Amino acid sequence: MPAYVGIVKILNMGGSSIFNIGDVNLIYPVSNAKTFAGAGSFNTGDGLAVYNQQSVTSVNDSDLNDQNIVGNI
């Protein structure tokens, strides 16, 4: 059902936000990310001790496309 909307003031929107006024059939935000991290990077806790003698993170990516999001609804 159509509606009349008055003045709208947007102060802040995040990077993954969606702002919509009006009729919507489908809102489908899509994003992708690639994270490279070495050994012990995502460990959390109190008094954590991680011993890595040698940590090497390979960031070489031989393929061109990892997550194709075009037309992926």
Side-chain angles (χ1 to χ4, degrees):
M1 177 175 193
Y4 292 103
V5 178
I7 298 172
V8 176
K9 182 178 182 180
I10 301 173
L11 298 176
N12 189 10
M13 287 187 67
S16 61
S17 304
I18 294 177
F19 177 76
N20 176 57
I21 295 177
D23 297 337
V24 172
N25 181 27
L26 175 68
I27 295 179
Y28 193 81
V30 178
S31 66
N32 61 5
K34 181 182 285 191
T35 303
F36 297 104
S41 296
F42 297 114
N43 294 329
T44 57
D46 295 331
L48 184 68
V50 177
Y51 300 100
N52 294 316
Q53 296 298 321
Q54 196 170 14
S55 177
V56 176
T57 302
S58 176
V59 294
N60 296 329
D61 191 9
S62 60
D63 58 349
L64 298 175
N65 298 321
D66 291 327
Q67 289 180 311
N68 298 328
I69 61 173
V70 176
N72 188 14
I73 295 178

